[in-house]
Every structure is written in C-alpha cells, then in structure tokens.
Amino acid sequence: MTDMTENRGGETETSAARRSPLAKRGGGDPGSRGRTTIADGVVEKIAGLAARDVDGVHAMGSGLSRTFGAVRDRVPGGAKSVSRGVKVEVGEVQAALDLEIVVEYGVSIADVARDVRENVITAVERMTGLEVVEVNIAVSDVKLPDEEEEEPERRIQ
C-alpha cells in the first residue's frame, strides 16, 4: 500500500515520489550532466582509418612523412601511425579536417576524393557526435603500377 499525503493545494503525492533522487536533485537527464571532450588525436585516428578504407587510396601523407613512417614502423615497439596525413581542428561541437592522400594510378581522383570525404564525415560524426564542417583533401602523389614501395635503405645487411 502506498503512503498518500495531501499537500496545501489539495493534491496527493506518494511518499515514494517524495523520496525519488531524480525528483529532488536537479539537472534532468543524467546523460546531459557534465562535459565530454574529444582530443584531436582521436578524430585523426578515426578519419585516417576511414580514409584508408576507400578503394583507390594507396597511402596517406606526403612522401617524406611516409618515409619517416616506414622507418618508425621498423623500430621494435613502434606502432603504425593511422593518423599520418591527417590534421584536425576540434571545437566543442564541430570539427574541420585536412587529409593528404596518395591515389592509385587509373582511378578517378574526383571520385576517390568524394568517397573519402563521405566516408570520413560519416565515421567521425557517428563516432564522436561532432559536426564535420569541412574535409579538405590534398592529393600529393599517384602510385604507379610499376613503382616499388618506398622503403628506407637498410643499414644492416
């Protein structure tokens, strides 16, 4: 049985409602209390992975950054940089991204850029809740079929 009380206006309320923590404490929905911040590096990783998933993208970053990355990848304990070729600016509710890509020879650069832009926007907005206001894409190179992968010379043979 519920304990009923009458307030000054003649209305009744249950003792359970009087004791409810959400009824007494303010703020509404618990999910909206507090702030969530997302680091630039998080958005860079999401965008880098999303861009690499697009057919026609051979690599990310300029030739120099790929060369340094190849050296770093060979160092024991060194991790592959998924954010290579990605720069972001993250605000409280929006993000802007700059990507540098290398495309495969023979693909439509305009189509690859469009697909990269769509994939990156979808992934970043879905995972972070940020509004992506722009994705600028710079195509820095074309991977020719007969080109070998750029690898630094080995010092130890």
Side-chain angles (χ1 to χ4, degrees):
M1 184 160 153
T2 306
D3 175 23
M4 303 287 277
T5 60
E6 188 172 317
N7 63 18
R8 290 185 188 172
E11 299 169 358
T12 60
E13 70 180 79
T14 64
S15 59
R18 286 191 319 264
R19 289 191 307 257
S20 169
L22 289 178
K24 284 191 175 182
R25 299 197 177 123
D29 177 30
S32 65
R33 297 182 198 173
R35 288 179 31 164
T36 302
T37 57
I38 300 171
D40 292 2
V42 172
V43 178
E44 287 174 351
K45 285 181 180 182
I46 293 168
L49 290 171
R52 284 174 174 78
D53 282 346
V54 174
D55 288 335
V57 174
H58 174 73
M60 300 286 296
S62 66
L64 185 59
S65 71
R66 290 194 324 270
T67 300
F68 284 132
V71 171
R72 187 175 39 249
D73 293 346
R74 290 177 174 268
V75 173
K80 247 188 161 133
S81 175
V82 295
S83 60
R84 182 182 311 141
V86 182
K87 299 281 185 256
V88 303
E89 291 181 32
V90 178
E92 293 207 15
V93 295
Q94 295 179 327
L97 297 91
D98 294 321
L99 306 176
E100 189 171 2
I101 65 173
V102 176
V103 298
E104 302 278 345
Y105 176 79
V107 301
S108 165
I109 293 174
D111 290 347
V112 170
R114 184 195 65 242
D115 293 346
V116 166
R117 192 171 281 113
E118 288 176 2
N119 209 35
V120 167
I121 290 170
T122 300
V124 170
E125 288 184 345
R126 180 180 55 82
M127 292 184 70
T128 66
L130 295 168
E131 175 192 5
V132 177
V133 294
E134 67 180 8
V135 176
N136 300 309
I137 299 173
V139 179
S140 62
D141 202 358
V142 174
K143 168 69 170 82
L144 300 175
D146 58 346
E147 281 183 332
E148 291 191 25
E149 290 296 315
E150 292 180 12
E151 289 192 25
E153 290 183 30
R154 296 190 115 171
R155 293 177 52 188
I156 301 173
Q157 305 239 346

